[in-house]
Amino acid sequence: MGYEGLEVINPEGGTEDAEEEAQRGRWKQEDRDSYWKMMQKYIGSDVTSLVSLPVYIFEPMSMIQKMAELMEYSQLLDLADECEDPYLRMVYVSSFFISMYYACQRTLKPFNPILGETYEMVNHGGITFIAEQVSHHPPISAGHAENDHFVYDITSKVKTKFLGNSLEIYPLGRSRVTLKRDGVVLDLVPCPSKVNNLIFGRTWIDVPGEMTLTNLSTGDKVLLYFQPCGWFGAGRFEVDGYVYNAAEEPKILLTGKWNESMSYHPCDAEGEPLPGTELKEVWRAAEAPENDRFQSTYFAHKLNSLDTAPKKLLASDSRLRPDRYALEKGDLSKSGSEKSSLEEKQRAEKRLRETKGQQFTPRWFDRSTEIAPTPWGDLEIYHFNGKYDEHRAAMDSSDSIEEVDIASTEFNPWQYGSLATE
């Protein structure tokens, strides 16, 4: 059959039901077989942007919108900024970053951002958020969020390894939080993830490995271990670890599940709970809609709406993508054709840029000379340039602001405007 060596894993089962599991999943059989034949040549390769996929395995969000999804629990960063205890502060910030893995239960693929695409978010926790696709090859996104308590900056890049029916994802990005009261800077090294049953079987995501959060100001550190999923789901979702001081002595024990909640317990030098203290919950995932078509949370739905949009939305905003909007409305045929059209426009603009001998220049972020090492490779860092704050202030102070209609407003991330007139 040409399926030799294909690994199919049922996270709630064992090895004996792999053949039955392989017949499940969301792929149409004819597409599944043809994609398997096509993808075999990529086994062992980084497939970050090599293959165009059918829209019925997508969710109606762009990848840079998902960067904003982390802000759902931004109140944890507010609490960290207000906290006097330096170790409890680390509990709040690490729990904030753990919360982003909750979305890993949603296995539909987000759309790859178009070069120059942006996403803006307001009306949540006093935050102003802006993200931009700053590079296409390799795909790199940059994001910036700020409120009265914190500044969050990310340069996002991933490296993948295709293994046949699974995909390993290595986060080369850099995420940093600056707490405003004391100027404390916290740096994250996230753990890798693995998408199982990519083509055959029901797709599910595992997050096995270590996550490290370091206070660059004091040397305090959080080290968390994400348990790999064992047979019959043993250990799935479980997270355990400690907050350590600069002398690498444990101060607080952290435990929980990344799809549910996290709790903490002060501990002694041996890592055992201190007598007279109790386990306290610090984060719990919000309730999600039942039987949602895209497995989305209430907050994810808000990210697609104008409820979180500022006045005078940028024409490059992800909400305005016609392929995303058509999928959200259930029109898969239109979504697929619009996706192909956007991809072709992006290729045409690249050719035009090369003809002109020009480089793409992001609007809201500047590429720095800094190259940051990560466990999976070096990363070129982009810094927020502050121009968005000036733009937003001008828009917010304007009296003549028309209402944006997602259905009729043209999505325009293009460097040269309408390619038809070039």
Side-chain angles (χ1 to χ4, degrees), residues 92 260-264 278-285:
Y92 286 128
E260 187 176 290
S261 66
M262 290 298 297
S263 298
Y264 69 96
E278 60 181 1
L279 188 70
K280 292 185 178 180
E281 187 174 274
V282 65
W283 165 76
R284 177 169 290 276

Side-chain angles (χ1 to χ4, degrees), residues 85-310:
D85 185 326
Y87 308 122
L88 184 55
R89 174 187 288 163
M90 299 293 278
V91 169
Y92 286 128
V93 178
S94 58
S95 297
F96 166 78
F97 281 117
I98 289 168
S99 74
M100 69 181 175
Y101 290 103
Y102 179 85
C104 286
Q105 296 175 101
R106 236 169 46 231
T107 57
L108 293 165
K109 184 189 180 305
F111 288 93
N112 291 336
I114 298 295
L115 185 62
E117 182 177 333
T118 58
Y119 182 76
E120 303 173 83
M121 184 187 74
V122 294
N123 302 330
H124 175 74
I127 295 167
T128 298
F129 178 95
I130 178 68
E132 182 176 15
Q133 188 71 4
V134 295
S135 172
H136 184 58
H137 288 296
I140 301 175
S141 310
H144 175 86
E146 185 170 357
N147 71 0
D148 291 340
H149 291 284
F150 68 86
V151 176
Y152 167 80
D153 286 293
I154 180 171
T155 301
S156 178
K157 178 182 177 182
V158 298
K159 180 180 180 181
T160 64
K161 186 176 182 181
F162 179 61
L163 300 175
N165 199 36
S166 62
L167 184 73
E168 293 179 348
I169 302 174
Y170 304 99
L172 272 71
R174 187 177 79 177
S175 298
R176 285 190 173 172
V177 169
T178 302
L179 301 178
K180 288 189 171 182
R181 191 186 65 170
D182 297 333
V184 168
V185 180
L186 301 141
D187 181 82
L188 175 75
V189 178
C191 58
S193 54
K194 184 178 181 182
V195 184
N196 297 282
N197 298 354
L198 198 60
I199 302 174
F200 294 84
R202 294 168 294 176
T203 304
W204 60 282
I205 298 176
D206 200 12
V207 186
E210 293 183 349
M211 185 179 97
T212 306
L213 180 71
T214 304
N215 185 327
L216 300 180
S217 307
T218 66
D220 298 337
K221 184 176 291 188
V222 178
L223 184 60
L224 293 165
Y225 181 65
F226 286 61
Q227 295 278 356
C229 178
W231 295 122
F232 300 98
R236 190 179 183 192
F237 308 120
E238 292 180 8
V239 184
D240 298 285
Y242 291 94
V243 178
Y244 296 91
N245 64 14
E248 298 186 352
E249 300 166 327
K251 290 296 182 179
I252 299 179
L253 179 151
L254 273 160
T255 185
K257 292 186 175 183
W258 55 260
N259 70 325
E260 187 176 290
S261 66
M262 290 298 297
S263 298
Y264 69 96
H265 207 145
C267 66
D268 59 23
E270 303 300 318
E272 296 298 322
L274 283 174
T277 62
E278 60 181 1
L279 188 70
K280 292 185 178 180
E281 187 174 274
V282 65
W283 165 76
R284 177 169 290 276
E287 289 189 12
E290 292 185 11
N291 303 316
D292 187 85
R293 182 161 48 121
F294 297 107
Q295 306 161 357
S296 293
T297 61
Y298 290 111
F299 188 68
H301 281 295
K302 284 181 67 177
L303 293 180
N304 270 337
S305 76
L306 293 177
D307 293 344
T308 52

